[in-house]
Amino acid sequence: MNFRDEKAIYLQIEEYVCEQILSGRWIEGEKMCSVRELASSLEVNPNTVMRAYTELSDKQVIENKRGIGFFIAADATAVIRESHRQEFLHQELPLLLKKAKLLQISEEEIISIYQSL
């Protein structure tokens, strides 16, 4: 995994885990790699992975079953989609629409592009 400088590594690991879940590579209810295994495969400090796992657990994407390990939550996909949806609607889309307005891109052009997807 190639980490970017503009974002904390633990946040990038969170994104990686969410991407694995949304893509179907990791299945809801499935046991996840241990903190040490993921840290080793990503070549990062286990504390960094633990921080990402803690954040994901707080967001109810994964759950820690004491003594057994971390598991992907039963409704992880829905939780991730809703979280990403809200982030897009309230942070990314307004910036995109502001730029479109500055560039005098009409609503019709935007709708036409959206409908062609």
Side-chain angles (χ1 to χ4, degrees), residues 1-3 9 13 16-17 20 26 32-46 49 53:
M1 185 170 174
N2 295 323
F3 294 105
I9 292 174
I13 294 170
Y16 169 76
V17 170
Q20 298 306 306
W26 295 2
M32 299 178 61
C33 323
S34 72
V35 170
R36 288 179 194 249
E37 289 171 335
L38 188 57
S40 176
S41 72
L42 297 178
E43 299 178 351
V44 298
N45 187 307
V49 173
Y53 276 20

Side-chain angles (χ1 to χ4, degrees), residues 2-19:
N2 295 323
F3 294 105
R4 301 175 310 276
D5 290 336
E6 71 272 2
K7 188 181 261 191
I9 292 174
Y10 82 94
L11 292 173
Q12 293 177 64
I13 294 170
E14 276 187 62
E15 288 175 357
Y16 169 76
V17 170
C18 289
E19 183 180 298

Side-chain angles (χ1 to χ4, degrees), residues 60-113:
Q60 299 177 337
V61 172
I62 66 174
E63 52 191 2
N64 185 4
K65 295 184 180 179
R66 281 207 176 326
I68 301 173
F70 286 94
F71 289 78
I72 300 166
D75 58 349
T77 303
V79 169
I80 295 166
R81 277 203 180 108
E82 183 57 26
S83 171
H84 283 71
R85 183 178 186 278
Q86 291 303 317
E87 182 179 328
F88 178 76
L89 288 173
H90 297 289
Q91 294 174 13
E92 296 175 37
L93 186 59
L95 295 173
L96 190 68
L97 293 175
K98 181 179 180 180
K99 187 169 186 174
K101 190 172 186 177
L102 290 171
L103 296 173
Q104 298 179 341
I105 298 172
S106 71
E107 289 178 41
E108 292 78 20
E109 289 175 282
I110 293 170
I111 292 168
S112 173
I113 292 169

